[in-house]
Amino acid sequence: MTRIFGPRRNHLYDVLSTLVQDPNFGSFFEPAFPIYGSDFLQPRRKSPSPVLPPLAAAGKARRSLTLSLSKPLHVSKAVSFSADGVKARSLITCRAYEADRSEPISESSAAPSEAARKLKIGIYFATWWGLNVIFNIYNKKVLNAYPFPWLTSTLSLAAGSLIMLISWALRIAETPKTDLDFWKSLFPVAVAHTIGHVAATVSMSKVAVSFTHIIKSGEPAFSVLVSRFILGETFPPSVYLSLLPIIGGCGLAALTELNFNMIGFMGAMISNLAFVFRNIFSKRGMKGKSVSGMNYYACLSIMSLVILTPFAIAVEGPQMWAAGFKEAMSQIGPQIVWWMAAQSIFYHLYNQVSYMSLDEISPLTFSVGNTMKRISVIVSSIIIFRTPVQPVNALGAAIAILGTFLYSQVLQTPSDREAIIACQRNFTRLIFDKRLTTL
């Protein structure tokens, strides 16, 4: 290693000290980046040059980095000092790592970690869709043999709450750190979640599973209308245009449904409206709350269970449940118990996986995944239950689902572009080349 004396050594130390002490200097997702020795050791030029080069030139000289301002950056080591410009350029390799890590991450691990993340997301999506299909099948079987949607909804929430309480007690899952403010902010979310869950179950007890999900694909229309007329938010024309196929497709499917039922139709519509308010309350009340997606849904299930239980008893009651269960046992046999347990457990599992996936993906990706989930549920339920479908009815469903996909695209694209532009602007503050020696 070449020893450096005099003002050049002091200048190098000053630059490195400024680099690590700058409070605006964030952490890089790229774990290591080179700083060439000649950048610091070449003689000063007579005419001063700007500290920061143009963005285009810098992009050619340095590979692109992804910037995050969430964590400070540490310089772990500097090696290969050299002032010789004849040989191949020696490097001062500064290995950067985040403050909560003990050592730098090798560059070779970047590609495998990205591939592992994509594989993890793919597993989440496949599990989410599969569990949702299984839940809808068993849920419909239970409701056909035991038509008590209020009790069925209560059992679904109870199973999920019991699973998470056992997981917390056995330390299988990390116990959430909550306070009174957390539960206060969660209460309106739980009320809306309870209404939406019961309404959807009531709908499925009256109409085909495919029809319920076709109507529920119209949720984006309710979201835009509520945001526009109640919250006063505005949207670009492309968002309103994307609602036309959603509304038209749902209307066409409803008009051509062979087994149309008004209670089933209204149940799906109320579920849409309730889930829109659930999302609004969740965004407003959960800002700054550090609870994982899995634990958040677990707390939501527990509070919804507390809210729903007295209403289920008042609407249906133990006497009706006992009489209905006796009749179901005589017709189906003990298998009805397995169906009820399966629909309750799979309801919690598919919702838990969907909330866990939100920790890994963007809202846009989640919206696209939710659209594909509805397609898988509609197609599988038609095949398994042999639901008669007219061509016009299928066309309406396809138009509605296409509209949902278009809505997710036009709604999220502008915000994604703004985020990218903001990241690029922050990055330009940290780009430097060999003209840094003019400082």
Side-chain angles (χ1 to χ4, degrees):
M1 179 180 293
T2 305
R3 297 177 63 89
I4 305 174
F5 300 93
R8 288 183 179 177
R9 182 187 64 178
N10 297 332
H11 177 67
L12 173 61
Y13 288 164
D14 292 340
V15 171
L16 290 177
S17 299
T18 303
L19 182 66
V20 299
Q21 293 175 7
D22 186 353
N24 292 323
F25 200 88
S27 61
F28 292 94
F29 293 130
E30 293 284 343
F33 62 94
I35 304 175
Y36 294 99
S38 59
D39 291 349
F40 298 99
L41 305 178
Q42 74 177 56
R44 294 179 179 270
R45 298 178 180 177
K46 295 181 180 180
S47 59
S49 56
V51 175
L52 294 180
L55 182 57
K60 296 179 181 178
R62 298 285 184 268
R63 58 187 177 87
S64 62
L65 299 174
T66 304
L67 175 65
S68 170
L69 298 179
S70 60
K71 299 175 182 177
L73 188 75
H74 299 288
V75 176
S76 63
K77 63 179 179 179
V79 297
S80 301
F81 292 81
S82 175
D84 188 4
V86 178
K87 299 179 181 180
R89 301 186 74 185
S90 300
L91 298 179
I92 302 173
T93 304
C94 293
R95 298 208 172 265
Y97 61 96
E98 295 172 350
D100 59 350
R101 296 185 183 274
S102 59
E103 61 182 13
I105 307 172
S106 61
E107 290 190 25
S108 60
S109 64
S113 63
E114 179 64 19
R117 192 184 73 88
K118 292 182 178 179
L119 177 62
K120 183 179 181 181
I121 293 174
I123 294 174
Y124 272 153
F125 269 56
T127 306
W128 176 23
W129 297 343
L131 292 174
N132 189 264
V133 169
I134 296 173
F135 158 72
N136 279 277
I137 292 173
Y138 280 109
N139 190 49
K140 185 60 177 177
K141 285 186 174 182
V142 170
L143 292 173
N144 286 341
Y146 188 66
F148 295 96
W150 287 80
L151 176 61
T152 303
S153 302
T154 305
L155 293 176
S156 301
L157 297 174
S161 301
L162 181 61
I163 290 173
M164 290 310 301
L165 289 174
I166 294 175
S167 300
W168 292 335
L170 299 179
R171 300 187 182 277
I172 299 174
E174 182 182 359
T175 305
K177 298 179 181 179
T178 61
D179 52 19
L180 183 60
D181 291 336
F182 171 84
W183 293 103
K184 286 181 179 179
S185 62
L186 187 65
F187 179 76
V189 183
V191 172
H193 178 74
T194 303
I195 296 173
H197 176 42
V198 173
T201 308
V202 170
S203 175
M204 290 186 187
S205 68
K206 299 296 182 181
V207 296
V209 175
S210 57
F211 180 72
T212 297
H213 279 274
I214 292 172
I215 301 303
K216 283 180 66 63
S217 66
E219 184 177 328
F222 285 86
S223 179
V224 171
L225 294 177
V226 170
S227 299
R228 177 66 184 89
F229 294 105
I230 296 181
L231 303 180
E233 297 180 6
T234 57
F235 299 91
S238 57
V239 172
Y240 295 106
L241 290 176
S242 68
L243 299 182
L244 296 179
I246 296 177
I247 298 173
C250 290
L252 183 61
L255 292 175
T256 57
E257 175 66 22
L258 296 177
N259 299 316
F260 180 82
N261 182 280
M262 181 57 68
I263 296 178
F265 175 76
M266 292 304 299
M269 297 287 281
I270 293 173
S271 177
N272 283 339
L273 186 61
F275 285 144
V276 166
F277 279 103
R278 180 193 64 179
N279 297 338
I280 293 174
F281 293 145
S282 181
K283 290 178 182 178
R284 288 186 171 185
M286 299 311 297
K287 289 182 179 179
K289 308 295 183 183
S290 56
V291 179
S292 66
M294 181 176 63
N295 283 335
Y296 176 76
Y297 180 72
C299 295
L300 182 63
S301 297
I302 293 173
M303 180 163 281
S304 296
L305 175 63
V306 174
I307 296 172
L308 177 59
T309 301
F311 288 95
I313 295 174
V315 173
E316 294 175 346
Q319 293 182 352
M320 295 179 62
W321 296 338
F325 184 76
K326 184 178 180 180
E327 183 178 355
M329 285 288 291
S330 63
Q331 295 180 357
I332 306 298
Q335 195 173 8
I336 187 64
V337 178
W338 158 247
W339 290 356
M340 295 173 70
Q343 72 89 22
S344 300
I345 294 173
F346 283 114
Y347 172 80
H348 172 77
L349 292 179
Y350 101 77
N351 276 287
Q352 180 175 300
V353 172
S354 70
Y355 273 81
M356 291 171 63
S357 66
L358 275 174
D359 291 338
E360 304 290 336
I361 60 178
S362 67
L364 172 60
T365 307
F366 185 84
S367 298
V368 175
N370 196 45
T371 302
M372 300 303 296
K373 179 206 73 174
R374 295 207 184 281
I375 295 176
S376 62
V377 171
I378 291 172
V379 173
S380 61
S381 63
I382 290 175
I383 295 174
I384 293 174
F385 295 109
R386 299 179 181 178
T387 306
V389 179
Q390 294 181 342
V392 180
N393 186 267
L395 177 63
I399 293 174
I401 293 173
L402 176 62
T404 304
F405 175 78
L406 295 176
Y407 167 82
S408 65
Q409 295 293 315
V410 300
L411 184 64
Q412 296 293 338
T413 299
S415 61
D416 290 344
R417 290 175 179 172
E418 290 176 3
I420 294 173
I421 293 173
C423 182
Q424 291 175 343
R425 287 174 178 173
N426 289 329
F427 176 58
T428 57
R429 301 181 59 189
L430 301 175
I431 297 177
F432 55 91
D433 64 358
K434 56 187 176 183
R435 284 174 288 182
L436 186 64
T437 57
T438 60
L439 287 173

